[in-house]
Amino acid sequence: MTAVDDQGLVFAGVARLAQLVRGREVSPRDVVTLYLERIAQLDPVLNAFRVVLDERAMADAAQVERRLAAREVLPLAGVPVAVKDDTDVAGVSSMCGTGIDTGPVSSDSAAVRRLRAAGAVIIGKTHLPEFGAVPMCESPTWGVTRNPWDPSRTTGGSSGGSAAAVAAGMVPGALGTDGGGSVRIPAACCGLVGIKGQRGWISTKQSPERAYRFHGLHHIGALARSVADAALLHDAMAGAEPDDEIPPASPAPPLTDAVSRPPRRLRIAMSFKPVVPVPVSEEVRRPVWETAELLRSLGHEVVERDPLYPPAAILSVFVLMMHGLADEIARLPTPELLEPRIRAEGRTARLVPDRLAHRALAARDRMSERGLRPIADCDVLMTPVLAKPAVPVGHLEGIGPTRAMARVLAFMPFTPPQNYTGQPAMSIPAGVSADGLPGAVHLVGRPHDGSTLVSLAAQLESARPWAHRRPPVASYRTPGSG
């Protein structure tokens, strides 16, 4: 290892790490070796990774060195990235949190292919609950993924493995997926930035033997410690494919350009109204209030204004989620191996007729416009990410699907609407609570306007830095570091 060593390199961040590799201050193979050592030390405690691609990652690092020698421009040169295990990596099974192995897939997903093209090294695949169906990262097959800030608390989900890996410094950045908040929720629980862009900005295309059919609810997003790093990962993955499930209505803007561009004076709607009437705790309200005061001090206008959540739109989200779940289960060779609660949800999902899903899709634009009308004169919506702080692990253990759904809605009633409307949204850190858990704020941009969203988030990070904060587990030192 060279001048930048150990912990400093581990937490250098995506952009800085790529810069060090491009500048020949550290080699891609040394970087990958360091993170593999970090994973070997911490993953037995946190259980973030389903599979670690040791040998392949080292070979890919050597390939990055050759590409740099050939003067290729690589925005993510040598940066190790973790991929959630519902997203295809060639030659590796996509288990989707289940115990059902359908075999290695034949090719990378579009997002992973673009990460590699940018110079990233795919270091492993991370845990999720079965089919990402709940906002906690636990499954009968793979066990509990634990929060680096407090191992007795959930990482959130469903991209909980990716979030734990980034928060603990096992990777500088990760790919997550978000069907109802599954990037933003674990970002909030683990003290990270989580970006879900506009629907279609990042293709959800998988290998030929797999396909997502969640009617555009499913997004691919980025998890990192800073706004700049998350934006860089998002930009590297951005791009449409000719046969995408839902083509983008607008091309993805370069979000990294927005990071260094201060926003104009904005009008920001602050809301504590959840999708369903559940209590919202003071612990999650406080970071939003404090951020509102910071925004006012930065010259922005903050108004209390609620979006509208028509019952028909809420029902449509449920219909599309369940119809997509039924489709996923139907393609499994051995669905009887799923956990009992998911099997029960699958039986309910099969009752959703195709015509009801098609009706929900046909009404999406109209209902989205109606729901956003009360905040149409605002540039950004700000809410809590969750209705309560990270819950203890085992929050859904031993209960049936009806009670589980009630607990899920009581935990995550703010993030699903943006998967229905498709608009960009992100979670950013906002302090640490008295019991040592990270606080968070949910920022939602206008449809197709990710640039304003990222510009504002970067301004907040500059005024209230957070990337230097590390969870207790992150202070562990790598083997041989002295």
Side-chain angles (χ1 to χ4, degrees):
M1 205 64 62
T2 59
V4 182
D5 202 8
D6 192 21
Q7 296 273 316
L9 190 62
V10 163
F11 293 103
V14 174
R16 176 61 177 154
L17 195 59
Q19 181 185 43
L20 291 169
V21 170
R22 287 193 301 268
R24 308 297 198 272
E25 295 183 58
V26 64
S27 77
R29 282 179 286 189
D30 282 346
V31 170
V32 170
T33 297
L34 178 62
Y35 282 102
L36 287 173
E37 289 175 348
R38 184 91 175 163
I39 292 168
Q41 182 187 27
L42 296 181
D43 202 50
V45 177
L46 298 175
N47 189 35
F49 283 88
R50 204 269 297 172
V51 60
V52 180
L53 305 172
D54 308 57
E55 293 183 7
R56 186 168 169 184
M58 291 301 294
D60 289 348
Q63 177 65 16
V64 169
E65 290 186 2
R66 291 190 289 271
R67 293 172 66 189
L68 288 170
R71 299 188 181 277
E72 280 194 55
V73 177
L74 302 178
L76 299 179
V79 175
V81 174
V83 173
K84 186 178 177 181
D85 198 25
D86 63 352
T87 305
D88 288 348
V89 173
V92 185
S93 301
S94 290
M95 302 286 283
C96 299
T98 75
I100 304 169
D101 190 347
T102 56
V105 299
S106 60
S107 61
D108 288 333
S109 64
V112 169
R113 187 177 73 245
R114 289 190 170 95
L115 285 171
R116 291 193 198 277
V121 174
I122 307 305
I123 204 167
K125 300 197 75 182
T126 55
H127 287 310
L128 66 154
E130 286 196 351
F131 290 121
V134 295
M136 299 88 187
C137 196
E138 305 170 30
S139 72
T141 303
W142 305 108
V144 175
T145 298
R146 298 190 177 274
N147 193 322
W149 290 87
D150 179 349
S152 72
R153 302 291 187 116
T154 184
T155 57
S158 60
S159 306
S162 287
V166 177
M170 290 190 279
V171 284
L175 178 155
T177 60
D178 192 312
S182 290
V183 164
R184 293 161 286 160
I185 291 165
C189 291
C190 295
L192 303 173
V193 177
I195 294 180
K196 178 202 82 67
Q198 178 73 28
R199 177 169 31 244
W201 279 356
I202 298 175
S203 172
T204 58
K205 183 180 178 182
Q206 299 291 323
S207 57
E209 57 267 40
R210 293 187 67 238
Y212 280 119
R213 303 177 185 89
F214 277 95
H215 309 295
L217 295 178
H218 181 88
H219 297 61
I220 290 177
L223 289 149
R225 300 178 67 83
S226 72
V227 174
D229 285 352
L232 182 56
L233 287 170
H234 182 281
D235 286 357
M237 293 187 286
E241 295 287 310
D243 52 353
D244 278 340
E245 179 191 14
I246 297 181
S250 62
L255 298 183
T256 48
D257 289 353
V259 171
S260 57
R261 186 172 62 239
R264 57 179 172 79
R265 185 175 188 269
L266 303 175
R267 173 178 285 183
I268 296 155
M270 178 175 65
S271 174
F272 297 99
K273 180 183 179 182
V275 176
V276 291
V278 297
V280 180
S281 73
E282 291 300 305
E283 292 97 324
V284 299
R285 289 175 183 262
R286 189 175 302 112
V288 178
W289 286 324
E290 291 172 352
T291 302
E293 290 306 307
L294 176 58
L295 288 165
R296 291 186 179 106
S297 74
L298 294 170
H300 302 293
E301 178 185 6
V302 180
V303 297
E304 294 192 32
R305 193 84 58 79
D306 296 326
L308 177 66
Y309 300 120
I314 298 170
L315 177 61
S316 291
V317 174
F318 177 78
V319 163
L320 294 176
M321 282 184 171
M322 295 302 281
H323 192 262
L325 178 63
D327 216 16
E328 286 286 292
I329 292 175
R331 68 179 178 80
L332 294 174
T334 52
E336 66 274 11
L337 297 180
L338 294 171
E339 64 175 292
R341 187 170 59 240
I342 295 297
R343 293 203 306 270
E345 289 183 8
R347 289 192 292 271
T348 302
R350 287 195 295 274
L351 300 177
V352 177
D354 292 347
R355 67 178 183 278
L356 194 57
H358 295 153
R359 191 179 304 164
L361 276 173
R364 177 159 55 195
D365 289 348
R366 173 174 51 82
M367 283 195 281
S368 296
E369 188 279 331
R370 180 185 171 195
L372 297 176
R373 198 177 299 159
I375 58 171
D377 63 337
C378 296
D379 301 289
V380 172
L381 169 67
M382 178 173 66
T383 75
V385 181
L386 299 163
K388 60 181 74 173
V391 295
V393 299
H395 190 61
L396 304 180
E397 188 173 346
I399 62 175
T402 302
R403 287 179 63 199
M405 179 61 70
R407 289 192 181 183
V408 164
L409 290 174
F411 183 52
M412 52 157 288
F414 290 101
T415 54
Q418 295 78 44
N419 296 83
Y420 185 64
T421 63
Q423 66 202 106
M426 62 192 298
S427 173
I428 61 171
V432 177
S433 68
D435 56 1
L437 292 174
V441 169
H442 188 216
L443 300 177
V444 182
R446 292 176 182 267
H448 312 287
D449 186 11
S451 296
T452 299
L453 185 68
V454 167
S455 177
L456 180 64
Q459 185 185 44
L460 286 169
E461 182 178 16
S462 178
R464 184 181 60 197
W466 57 66
H468 63 285
R469 291 198 178 100
R470 299 172 189 172
V473 74
S475 64
Y476 295 177
R477 300 185 68 80
T478 50
S481 61

